[in-house]
């Protein structure tokens, strides 16, 4: 009898798809044809790899040689992105924003980061500066070059973000797509985290909690007062 082909389970397929997506993002390959050209393989080789849920080791070696990419990042999202940045085609910050960040893998490493209050070091400062009060271990794939972790002391975003939650803020991201969660500085008050929407010449910062009023900031001030965009939240889930 012919030997039965091994089937991928759900976890293996998810790993393969995430790793392949990182490869596509880092090389700019949008189609299987373009990816085959970058890897210098036949298209059928990519189909075979997907069927096996396995990426050949020589692909990682080729991508290191051609693009300076770290095989650990390609495989598991473990930073750094590049081992040789001189060959980088796309900035690492861009790739970290756009590529999937796996969580909970058995071989995932952690990193201990300082956690600041939302008030910051001095409330009267025109710009927000962190005031570390404790430390938190997070998966390394959650880390960014300009990441700031704060502990939420407000109920304005409940139930989406509970009081006491830890929030990761990417300070390299200052854009304001409608509906995104952003951390914005209010002098003499500290940070507030709200969903941001542009309306005319102003930005409206909307709360999830009906007991808290929405806030408005002139568009001309928004860039200077934006600390960054929220990229992850760690919090306890209340039992149903």
């Amino acid at each position: 009898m012919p030997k039965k082909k091994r089937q991928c389970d759900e976890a293996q397929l998810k790993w393969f798809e995430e790793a392949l997506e990182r490869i596509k993002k880092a090389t700019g390959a949008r189609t299987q044809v373009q990816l085959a050209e970058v890897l210098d393989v036949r298209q059928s080789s990519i189909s075979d790899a997907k069927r096996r849920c396995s990426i050949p080791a020589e692909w990682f070696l080729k991508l290191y040689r051609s693009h300076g990419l770290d095989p650990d990042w390609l495989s598991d999202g473990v930073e750094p992105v590049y081992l040789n940045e001189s060959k980088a085609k796309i900035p690492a910050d861009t790739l970290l924003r756009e590529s999937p960040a796996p969580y909970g893998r058995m071989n995932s490493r952690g990193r201990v980061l300082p956690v600041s209050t939302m008030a910051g070091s001095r409330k009267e400062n025109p710009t927000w500066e962190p005031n570390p009060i404790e430390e938190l271990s997070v998966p390394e794939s959650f880390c960014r070059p300009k990441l700031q972790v704060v502990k939420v002391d407000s109920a304005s975003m409940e139930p989406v973000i509970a009081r006491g939650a830890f929030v990761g803020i990417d300070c390299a991201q200052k854009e304001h797509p409608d509906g995104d969660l952003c951390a914005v500085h209010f002098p003499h008050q500290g940070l507030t985290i709200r969903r941001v929407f542009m309306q005319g010449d102003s930005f409206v910062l909307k709360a999830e909690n009906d007991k808290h009023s929405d806030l408005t900031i002139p568009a001309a001030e928004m860039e200077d007062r934006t600390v960054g965009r929220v990229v992850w939240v760690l919090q306890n889930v209340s039992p149903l």
Side-chain angles (χ1 to χ4, degrees):
M1 293 178 62
K3 186 176 180 180
K4 186 177 180 179
K5 295 181 179 180
R6 180 175 66 85
Q7 297 296 317
C8 295
D9 61 28
E10 184 177 348
Q12 290 171 319
L13 181 58
K14 186 174 186 295
W15 170 83
F16 176 85
E17 290 176 342
E18 288 179 350
L20 196 67
E21 184 65 17
R22 281 189 286 273
I23 291 174
K24 288 180 178 178
K25 292 287 187 183
T27 60
R30 298 188 178 185
T31 67
Q32 190 162 305
V33 173
Q34 293 173 338
L35 183 59
E37 291 177 352
V38 169
L39 295 170
D40 192 24
V41 298
R42 294 189 296 270
Q43 291 184 55
S44 59
S45 298
I46 297 175
S47 298
D48 289 343
K50 184 173 183 178
R51 176 178 53 79
R52 298 191 305 270
C53 291
S54 174
I55 297 178
E58 57 265 27
W59 291 11
F60 293 130
L61 181 59
K62 286 180 180 179
L63 291 168
Y64 163 70
R65 289 173 173 170
S66 62
H67 292 71
L69 290 158
D70 184 346
D72 284 339
W73 180 77
L74 291 173
S75 175
D76 296 300
V78 176
E79 297 177 43
V81 175
Y82 293 106
L83 293 179
N84 185 352
E85 292 192 7
S86 66
K87 294 186 176 182
K89 303 295 190 295
I90 300 173
D93 286 358
T94 300
L95 291 175
L96 290 171
R97 287 199 299 269
E98 298 181 352
S99 301
Y103 173 68
R105 298 199 187 287
M106 292 299 292
N107 60 349
S108 176
R109 294 197 292 264
R111 187 184 301 182
V112 176
L113 300 177
V115 178
S116 175
T117 62
M118 294 185 72
S121 59
R122 300 185 66 182
K123 290 184 178 181
E124 64 272 19
N125 285 356
T127 58
W128 185 83
E129 296 179 2
N131 176 31
I133 55 170
E134 58 182 294
E135 293 182 331
L136 178 71
S137 177
V138 302
E140 191 153 1
S141 57
F142 277 30
C143 298
R144 308 286 179 91
K146 294 184 178 180
L147 182 74
Q148 179 64 58
V149 183
V150 299
K151 190 170 185 178
V152 176
D153 59 11
S154 168
S156 63
M157 293 305 294
E158 290 183 342
V160 175
I161 303 177
R163 187 194 298 269
F166 296 99
V167 172
I169 301 167
D170 188 345
C171 298
Q173 298 190 48
K174 299 295 184 77
E175 305 88 353
H176 308 97
D178 273 1
D180 267 25
L181 291 168
C182 292
V184 182
H185 178 236
F186 283 78
H188 304 287
Q189 298 180 48
L191 286 187
T192 188
I193 294 174
R194 299 288 180 92
R195 292 197 185 279
V196 176
F197 297 87
M198 189 169 190
Q199 293 185 6
D201 295 330
S202 300
F203 282 92
V204 177
L205 283 61
K206 292 186 172 292
E208 294 285 340
N209 189 335
D210 293 339
K211 296 180 180 179
H212 291 252
S213 301
D214 295 340
L215 305 170
T216 302
I217 295 180
E221 299 179 14
M222 193 63 173
E223 183 175 355
D224 290 338
R225 292 172 60 175
T226 299
V227 174
R229 291 166 66 187
V230 174
V231 290
W232 52 257
V233 177
L234 295 177
Q235 62 185 355
N236 291 326
V237 178
S238 299
L240 298 176

